[in-house]
Amino acid sequence: MTIVQAFLLFVSGFLSGVVNAIAGGGTFLTFGAMTLGGLPPIVANATSSIIQFPGYITSALAYAKEIRADRRNAILLGVISAVGGLAGALLLLSLSNPSFRAMVPWLLIAATAIFAAGPLLKPKARSDEHRIGPLGVASQMATSVYGGFFGAGMGIMMLAVLGLATGGGYHRLNALKNFISIVIAAIAIAVFAAGGVVSWLHAAIMVPGAALGGFSGVWAARRVPQAIIRALVVAVGLLLAAYYFFTG
């Protein structure tokens, strides 16, 4: 790896942190940068999970009070999500790079569509909290399988699913989402590390960039309209999908 390549990876990590802090969607940038740089898609996907992980932790810490107050649902959903995340990660490892490469453009299109529809999927403020039923369990299981397998757009999917599964206000749902994201990512990272599909060099370069970008993103969020960042992320997702379609 050259110094220029390392610098570009750091910048992509930085930008992913910025867009995650403003509108989400940083996975598009980290996954895209690594695959365009020649990293096999499974390795890029696994490594991207590590790059996003610190952001999940800091977000959950910000909601520590809400998570403790809702510990029963957090534990139940955490167990469901751990099983789903494990299944998704193992499913990814069962594929060859060419097989996963053929799926990437379709996954990117689906994730981009979910991300673009994010404002419509955002749950409205509600107070009708209810117990999780079979449909909620099945929906969260499916979301966590996807999160362990690919992950882009997972947070938006999870907010919509949790709104149906448990009800409650936005901050309650966001707190649960942040906690569950840690569970899914931690399980997936453990599987990927054990499977030897993580590029620790790329992670070491990009994680500091993502952390710095996350901090800077707070500053940018006060000055750049979220709609502009969302439009740029959607454009990146569509361009990446087109690239993988036409080079496949």
Side-chain angles (χ1 to χ4, degrees), residues 49 133 154:
S49 298
M154 175 184 69

Side-chain angles (χ1 to χ4, degrees), residues 67-172:
I67 293 170
R68 285 195 299 269
D70 203 12
R71 65 173 61 88
R72 180 175 296 180
N73 277 316
I75 292 172
L76 175 58
L77 289 165
V79 171
I80 295 168
S81 300
V83 174
L86 176 62
L90 291 174
L91 178 60
L92 179 67
L93 287 189
S94 72
L95 299 175
S96 64
N97 273 295
S99 297
F100 183 62
R101 171 65 173 76
M103 299 173 65
V104 164
W106 300 104
L107 288 168
L108 285 170
I109 287 177
T112 302
I114 292 168
F115 182 79
L120 300 176
L121 296 175
K122 183 178 178 179
K124 297 179 181 179
R126 299 165 54 180
S127 59
D128 57 330
E129 298 179 12
H130 51 270
R131 299 184 65 179
I132 302 170
L135 180 59
V137 170
S139 299
Q140 181 55 35
M141 178 67 75
T143 303
S144 57
V145 169
Y146 171 79
F149 183 77
F150 190 56
M154 175 184 69
I156 295 169
M157 290 174 61
M158 207 180 308
L159 278 175
V161 166
L162 290 174
L164 295 173
T166 71
Y170 173 76
H171 289 293
R172 173 179 184 262

Side-chain angles (χ1 to χ4, degrees), residues 48 69 82 118 149 207:
S48 187
F149 183 77
V207 165

Side-chain angles (χ1 to χ4, degrees), residues 9 12 26-38 44 48 108 236 240 243-244:
L9 288 171
S12 67
T27 300
F28 290 107
L29 300 176
T30 54
F31 177 79
M34 286 185 281
T35 52
L36 293 177
S48 187
L108 285 170
V236 169
L240 283 173
Y243 170 82
Y244 289 116

Side-chain angles (χ1 to χ4, degrees), residues 145-215:
V145 169
Y146 171 79
F149 183 77
F150 190 56
M154 175 184 69
I156 295 169
M157 290 174 61
M158 207 180 308
L159 278 175
V161 166
L162 290 174
L164 295 173
T166 71
Y170 173 76
H171 289 293
R172 173 179 184 262
L173 300 178
N174 204 32
L176 287 171
K177 182 262 293 181
N178 289 331
F179 173 74
I180 296 167
S181 294
I182 291 179
V183 174
I184 295 172
I187 292 290
I189 289 169
V191 172
F192 297 150
V197 294
V198 174
S199 174
W200 296 107
L201 176 60
H202 286 75
I205 293 171
M206 299 177 79
V207 165
L212 183 60
F215 181 80

